[in-house]
Amino acid sequence: MTCLRYLLFSSLILSCHIASAAEPPPREVLIADLLGRMRLEEKIGQLRLISIGGEMTRERIREEIAAGRIGGTFNSVTRQDNRPMQEAALRSRLGIPLFFAYDVIHGHRTTFPIGLGLASSWDLDAIERSARIAALEASADGLDMTFAPSLDISRDPRWGRVSESFGEDPQLVSLIAARMVRGLQGTKPNDPQRIMASIKHFALYGAVEGGRDYNVVDMSALRMYQDYLPPYRAALEAGAGGVMVALNAINGVPASANAWLLRDLLRREWGFRGVVLSDHGAISELMRHGVAANGREAVRLAINAGVGMSMADDLYLEELPGLVRDGEVDEARIDEAVAAVLGAKYDLGLFHDPFLRIGRAADDPAEVNAESRLHRAAARAIARDALVLLENKGDTLPLRKGGRIALIGPLADSPVDMLGSWSASGRAEQAVTLRQGMQAALGERGKLLYARGANVTDDARVVEYLNRLNWDRPEVEQDPRSPQAMLEEALRVASQADVIVAAVGESRGMSHESSSRTRLDLPDSQQALLRALKATGKPLVLVLMNGRPLALGWEQANADAILETWYSGIEGGHAIAEVLFGEHNPAGKLPISFPRSVGQIPSHYNHLRLGRPYREGSPGNYTSQYFEAANGPLYPFGYGLSYSRFELSAPKLSATRMRAGEKIEVRATLSNAGPRAGSSVVQLYLHDEVASVIRPVKELKDFRRVKLQAGETREVRFEIDESMLRFFDANLRHVSEPGAFRVQLGLDSAQVREARFELLPPD
Ligand code: NOJ
């Protein structure tokens, strides 16, 4: 059947027959042949990526597709929806298949923890597994591409999209980037179960000024190269097929019009040949940025800069023909962009079989949301590892299964908030809440009492804002009772219990696109609830659900235990219960620092050295500090407790000198001195003592996640080679410079033990 389609490609009939009945011509031959026969309008059609569910009716969309005026779609997520569109594409003059994309960010039908949660596991295999499952499920729904992973280094928790990110560290995020791409794309060409990764948001979106979404980014080249660009590059080196361009401007030029970014860096320097997509409506936004006076100018800028497909924006369609006719855009630019789109479709196997992922109608699932389509066991296992124990005074946790437990809080029984932002096709009804998870774990062995206690917020403006977001049901359902009535009920319930578990944080819409915050503390309604619960004198365990680092000064001082759970996905309730009751020993580590207050931002651990650094214990005058508050983060990058006590020895080096080409081995012993089996993450940081440009105080280079039985000790080894000592110098050369380095080994980024070595100059 596949080859029949190539009967249309008259010049290719022969090669098609000769090659094999199932194979299209070789990639470049096919692209060149099609480009040679496409009309300008058909080429421009390939660059149009439309959102299904917008203003156009389905019928109109099919007409546009059949007329060769659409290259790909997003936001339709079933085989039944996608099949007629693909059939329409095959009716177009050249029969070029469509691709179908969607935001599959942290799972598809099965919702896994949000990005920050996945990163908290420091378990690259588990992260890859989550991506693989997402690809299996998405491809089974007829999808070919996802707009993921989000690889924006995020150091500003005010930014709502921190929740989608993997945190603040270039090395950790780069390692995750490569695994996400492998998980999504698989390793076999034409695999019906692979989907293409379109990484985003290129570039630097996480650095929007003030953490305010869509704001500008102004950044030195050194910082870009050193800290912000590596994850995107790692994903491309892992073979990511697509790149989505960021909505922000970079040093005065919007990314969507930024020829330096898209041509010089992405295409020339990095050699990327895949498809470059705009973000939603970004080309029209060039007018609002004020770099284009009208749509025609916006299109000229975008296509010449290197934006291939325009997302949800008809300006290419309207303006490109005239621009080419008038010689303002060289058709070669369009050919280059179209070749990338055709190449992506080829790599997705769509020229082999346009229905590769859509399949046959007879095989369509009867119920797309069927339980049998979910991967609950994996979701639960991954969710467990995403939980970070921040406090556990006097071994308050784990809880005994027995007695009376008061579960209180607006997030204790809120299914939609388990999912987190961008939960694709996840269904709230299929999410296990904390209340359900604890009840299931407890069974008849104890009594779980429940009260909502407070609304997420009492601020009507915020509720209105969250509910205005374009979702299919109110995001935040307010309990109509008065705050006082809810509080009284909570106190009544608490008074009957031995321990209080308070589920507090943010509703998921508070950590989302366009949900930047000026405050990082809990909303007032929840703070009032916690203060009242504290006043009961009962042990107080906080289960946090949130999509960004929060400022938890009061909570740290007053809670007996704090478990950070982010938004942990459809199996979150079970996973959290396992940790609360000690069936699972928590091992998560923060992928981002938690500042004490908004005023401390940025608070990332890998900051540059200063001429007047603040010194713990002797602040003095004229050192870099905030004088009216404690310095340093509340919880540092890499931090997380366990129910066991892990002890790490000082690092021992196999040599104290090394030349390029040689290696130094770092050894240390990790002991589990606590009462139960558990895992911890040994983190290796390096610091370059003297260099031609200022170097960070430390940089994560490697880590090992180690599981130990109670009482077990194991040696942990790392290797250091010269490539790990490289950095970008003032001329943006990636170099190492001879001199002294410190090896810093720890179970978080703040408490490290050191050793020194020297990189010798070449002979
Ligand atoms: C806008 C967002 O910025 C981007 O991340 C997303 O992929 C697109 N919308 C498509 O939904």
Side-chain angles (χ1 to χ4, degrees):
M1 161 189 153
T2 316
C3 210
L4 280 183
R5 298 191 49 252
Y6 293 97
L7 294 172
L8 295 167
F9 298 7
S10 50
S11 60
L12 297 175
I13 296 174
L14 198 59
S15 59
C16 178
H17 278 283
I18 291 170
S20 118
E23 285 295 309
R27 189 178 192 273
E28 302 315 314
V29 174
L30 180 141
I31 293 172
D33 177 76
L34 276 176
L35 276 176
R37 291 183 304 117
M38 288 170 88
R39 300 172 182 145
L40 178 63
E41 287 68 25
E42 287 166 332
K43 293 180 184 173
I44 294 168
Q46 284 300 306
L47 303 183
R48 185 172 176 217
L49 176 58
I50 63 151
S51 171
I52 305 298
E55 279 159 23
M56 258 195 284
T57 62
R58 298 279 169 136
E59 200 187 346
R60 177 95 188 94
I61 290 172
R62 284 197 296 276
E63 284 166 15
E64 287 285 288
I65 294 170
R69 279 203 292 267
I70 293 176
T73 76
F74 65 113
N75 286 342
S76 62
V77 285
T78 63
R79 293 153 59 125
Q80 290 94 327
D81 273 350
N82 293 344
R83 186 174 296 110
M85 291 194 273
Q86 194 66 300
E87 286 165 354
L90 299 187
R91 289 198 297 275
S92 65
R93 190 178 75 92
L94 293 172
I96 299 173
L98 294 172
F99 68 71
F100 300 95
Y102 193 45
D103 286 284
V104 177
I105 309 293
H106 50 108
H108 179 58
R109 300 269 169 207
T110 303
T111 308
F112 293 102
I114 58 167
L116 281 182
L118 291 174
S120 295
S121 72
W122 293 55
D123 185 339
L124 300 176
D125 292 337
I127 294 170
E128 182 174 333
R129 201 175 329 126
S130 76
R132 188 86 285 271
I133 291 171
L136 292 180
E137 292 182 357
S139 59
D141 276 341
L143 293 169
D144 303 303
M145 182 191 283
T146 174
F147 305 136
S150 288
L151 300 175
D152 309 314
I153 290 291
S154 301
R155 294 169 164 182
D156 193 330
R158 289 172 294 186
W159 191 47
R161 305 196 78 173
V162 154
S163 57
E164 290 166 63
S165 83
F166 299 106
E168 73 186 24
D169 183 66
Q171 174 72 354
L172 182 60
V173 181
S174 296
L175 292 169
I176 292 174
R179 294 298 205 96
M180 283 294 295
V181 169
R182 203 164 79 181
L184 291 167
Q185 297 197 159
T187 46
K188 288 177 274 158
N190 302 335
D191 178 353
Q193 294 181 327
R194 78 193 286 256
I195 60 173
M196 186 169 278
S198 269
I199 65 159
K200 63 191 188 185
H201 302 80
F202 195 65
L204 321 181
Y205 188 25
V208 283
E209 268 183 16
R212 187 154 48 77
D213 212 358
Y214 319 123
N215 204 355
V216 299
V217 173
D218 256 55
M219 190 184 285
S220 73
L222 253 189
R223 175 167 284 182
M224 270 185 217
Y225 273 77
Q226 192 61 41
D227 298 344
Y228 281 80
L229 295 176
Y232 307 115
R233 189 157 192 193
L236 298 182
E237 281 171 0
V243 168
M244 183 189 289
V245 182
L247 292 166
N248 53 280
I250 297 176
N251 295 343
V253 182
S256 310
N258 200 315
W260 166 78
L261 182 75
L262 303 178
R263 291 211 165 277
D264 299 351
L265 181 71
L266 182 65
R267 293 277 192 224
R268 274 191 217 116
E269 199 175 317
W270 293 0
F272 177 67
R273 294 280 157 266
V275 59
V276 177
L277 320 167
S278 83
D279 200 345
H280 206 121
I283 297 172
S284 318
E285 286 176 21
L286 292 177
M287 292 183 269
R288 293 208 213 105
H289 280 288
V291 295
N294 48 46
R296 187 178 164 96
E297 273 185 31
V299 170
R300 182 171 46 75
L301 287 172
I303 192 86
N304 284 338
V307 177
M309 293 188 93
S310 76
M311 181 192 286
D313 194 325
D314 284 342
L315 282 179
Y316 268 16
L317 199 69
E318 291 158 11
E319 302 292 350
L320 273 176
L323 284 164
V324 173
R325 206 177 37 241
D326 299 346
E328 288 184 54
V329 168
D330 191 338
E331 195 166 340
R333 291 276 191 234
I334 295 177
D335 286 356
E336 184 186 66
V338 174
V341 175
L342 298 176
K345 293 178 177 180
Y346 192 99
D347 296 341
L348 282 164
L350 294 170
F351 284 108
H352 296 70
D353 178 1
F355 298 94
L356 190 63
R357 296 179 185 80
I358 293 172
R360 298 179 320 152
D363 300 329
D364 286 353
E367 166 52 45
V368 285
N369 294 306
E371 267 296 315
S372 57
R373 303 186 86 211
L374 301 180
H375 291 81
R376 286 200 180 270
R380 185 161 172 170
I382 294 169
R384 269 183 218 130
D385 287 334
L387 309 176
V388 188
L389 184 63
L390 298 177
E391 295 290 336
N392 195 16
K393 296 171 195 162
D395 291 336
T396 305
L397 291 178
L399 300 176
R400 194 171 57 84
K401 275 192 186 166
R404 297 162 84 86
I405 302 171
L407 175 63
I408 297 175
L411 294 166
D413 201 20
S414 175
V416 76
D417 291 306
M418 303 308 293
L419 300 180
S421 62
W422 293 107
S423 46
S425 299
R427 311 276 299 185
E429 310 83 81
Q430 291 178 322
V432 178
T433 66
L434 180 55
R435 185 180 183 189
Q436 292 165 334
M438 286 182 78
Q439 188 57 68
L442 207 52
E444 298 300 309
R445 280 194 275 170
K447 186 109 188 91
L448 187 70
L449 309 166
Y450 167 77
R452 180 159 169 164
N455 281 314
V456 167
T457 172
D458 288 332
D459 186 333
R461 272 181 332 123
V462 171
V463 174
E464 195 194 329
Y465 178 76
L466 296 170
N467 284 342
R468 229 181 7 224
L469 293 175
N470 214 2
W471 285 311
D472 52 0
R473 66 170 97 187
E475 270 294 292
V476 180
E477 293 193 33
Q478 291 298 88
D479 192 312
R481 289 175 295 168
S482 73
Q484 191 54 31
M486 291 171 80
L487 196 63
E488 280 163 13
E489 181 195 49
L491 290 174
R492 246 191 336 271
V493 164
S495 70
Q496 298 160 34
D498 312 313
V499 57
I500 302 168
V501 175
V504 291
E506 303 177 300
S507 72
R508 69 167 185 168
M510 291 171 78
S511 281
H512 196 272
E513 181 179 347
S514 180
S515 289
S516 299
R517 292 186 63 195
T518 58
R519 291 171 53 173
L520 295 179
D521 47 2
L522 291 173
D524 296 338
S525 59
Q526 298 184 65
Q527 289 196 36
L529 172 66
L530 291 185
R531 283 178 162 81
L533 294 176
K534 172 70 184 171
T536 64
K538 309 235 168 169
L540 180 60
V541 175
L542 302 193
V543 173
L544 295 173
M545 299 186 190
N546 46 289
R548 53 160 61 81
L550 295 176
L552 298 167
W554 185 91
E555 291 76 5
Q556 184 198 44
N558 291 284
D560 296 287
I562 306 180
L563 184 68
E564 175 57 79
T565 72
W566 310 110
Y567 301 114
S568 47
I570 56 165
E571 280 291 305
H574 286 317
I576 300 168
E578 281 185 60
V579 166
L580 292 179
F581 290 117
E583 281 150 27
H584 180 77
N585 193 349
K589 299 277 186 179
L590 295 178
I592 186 166
S593 313
F594 275 42
R596 293 168 197 277
S597 65
V598 172
Q600 268 192 329
I601 298 169
S603 55
H604 53 278
Y605 82 95
N606 47 352
H607 57 85
L608 296 177
R609 283 176 63 176
L610 302 175
R612 295 187 176 192
Y614 167 74
R615 282 225 181 77
E616 185 96 50
S618 56
N621 283 325
Y622 304 106
T623 65
S624 186
Q625 61 171 315
Y626 295 107
F627 71 83
E628 85 294 39
N631 278 260
L634 190 68
Y635 297 114
F637 174 82
Y639 170 85
L641 302 173
S642 160
Y643 295 152
S644 272
R645 210 176 63 253
F646 286 96
E647 288 167 4
L648 183 66
S649 72
K652 285 211 183 86
L653 307 189
S654 60
T656 52
R657 293 164 161 229
M658 133 178 148
R659 279 184 212 282
E662 296 175 350
K663 288 185 172 152
I664 289 184
E665 194 175 44
V666 182
R667 294 163 179 235
T669 53
L670 180 70
S671 308
N672 180 351
R676 45 174 88 215
S679 301
S680 191
V681 182
V682 181
Q683 302 159 35
L684 175 91
Y685 298 88
L686 289 180
H687 169 60
D688 189 344
E689 287 191 1
V690 179
S692 58
V693 294
I694 309 174
R695 304 290 299 120
V697 290
K698 61 183 62 143
E699 293 171 289
L700 181 75
K701 291 291 170 178
D702 204 353
F703 58 86
R704 301 270 182 277
R705 200 170 189 279
V706 186
K707 179 162 189 199
L708 294 181
Q709 297 304 320
E712 190 183 346
T713 294
R714 191 163 329 146
E715 187 173 62
V716 185
R717 295 178 189 198
F718 296 92
E719 271 185 354
I720 299 176
D721 63 27
E722 180 269 340
S723 72
M724 293 162 77
L725 311 180
R726 289 186 204 157
F727 60 94
F728 288 94
D729 71 8
N731 298 312
L732 299 182
R733 287 175 313 202
H734 202 219
V735 296
S736 61
E737 293 176 356
F741 289 81
R742 277 186 217 180
V743 177
Q744 305 170 326
L745 216 57
L747 300 177
D748 64 56
S749 63
Q751 311 275 337
V752 292
R753 303 184 72 177
E754 294 192 335
R756 281 178 97 216
F757 72 92
E758 204 180 328
L759 176 68
L760 300 173
D763 278 333

